[in-house]
Amino acid sequence: TLTNPHQDDNGEWHGPLVGVLELQQIQNSYSEQDEKVEALSGFVQKALTENSNHCPSHYEEKATAYTEIYEAAEKEADDYQEKKEKEQMQKYDESRQERITKRLTKLRGVHAQMVDIMKECPMKDLAMECSWNEESERNLLKFECAFVQSTMSDLL
């Protein structure tokens, strides 16, 4: 249930204009039904005046203010979330690049040792022919020769 009067899409007002305590006061103060109705209509008229908190125009002002507060808070939360996501992505990118650089350094060392070991081999150039992928975290080095690739796959 709504605690403040409001206007629906058709322009009709809904919600309590008179509080429970006021109804109890009317119930306890008057014995005749006509007197109760008259007192209740007085409370309703008072509620509809510009000086009452139950006045529809005051309700609209409050609703507008709360809507503005909510929208500002929502925008602030969205901005904060976007900033945090950017920071996380930047940290991830930096750590990823660091991992790639470390792994690439190790693989270049292994590759250089292999070239050094195989310097006397007759088909060294064919065996050591490879391509470097400096953007991938896993497949940084790929040998063109399938035998070398499968043999070295555990090191790569």
Side-chain angles (χ1 to χ4, degrees):
T1 62
L2 296 168
T3 57
N4 288 317
H6 67 283
Q7 202 171 18
D8 65 14
D9 294 336
N10 298 329
E12 294 182 28
W13 287 98
H14 299 277
L17 295 175
V18 180
V20 174
L21 294 176
E22 293 164 328
L23 290 175
Q24 287 176 343
Q25 181 182 359
I26 291 171
Q27 187 70 26
N28 294 335
S29 299
Y30 302 101
S31 57
E32 296 294 319
Q33 186 67 20
D34 291 339
E35 293 173 333
K36 291 178 185 180
V37 169
E38 190 177 317
L40 181 60
S41 67
F43 276 110
V44 170
Q45 290 301 321
K46 179 183 173 199
L48 292 176
T49 64
E50 289 291 326
N51 298 330
S52 169
N53 284 338
H54 297 293
C55 174
S57 64
H58 290 303
Y59 173 75
E60 290 298 323
E61 291 169 6
K62 286 181 185 178
T64 303
Y66 287 135
T67 301
E68 289 172 1
I69 291 169
Y70 173 79
E71 289 172 353
E74 189 176 46
K75 183 183 180 330
E76 184 178 332
D78 289 346
D79 291 347
Y80 177 79
Q81 188 66 30
E82 185 179 330
K83 179 183 170 188
K84 281 295 185 189
E85 287 174 3
K86 283 181 181 178
E87 288 174 0
Q88 287 175 341
M89 284 304 295
Q90 184 178 0
K91 285 180 183 178
Y92 172 78
D93 288 343
E94 289 170 359
S95 68
R96 180 179 180 274
Q97 200 58 40
E98 189 176 310
R99 288 190 306 271
I100 289 173
T101 302
K102 282 182 182 178
R103 192 150 194 272
L104 196 57
T105 303
K106 288 178 185 178
L107 282 177
R108 288 195 193 279
V110 169
H111 184 264
Q113 288 177 350
M114 288 175 55
V115 168
D116 192 41
I117 291 170
M118 295 181 68
K119 67 181 168 185
E120 301 293 325
C121 292
M123 296 171 81
K124 171 186 91 167
D125 293 337
L126 180 64
M128 297 309 296
E129 189 175 335
C130 63
S131 60
W132 295 90
N133 182 1
E134 297 183 11
E135 295 299 316
S136 173
E137 251 183 280
R138 296 185 180 180
N139 302 317
L140 290 170
L141 176 62
K142 182 177 190 248
F143 288 96
E144 300 300 324
C145 178
F147 174 74
V148 176
Q149 180 69 29
S150 66
T151 305
M152 300 300 295
S153 64
D154 289 338
L155 287 175
L156 302 176

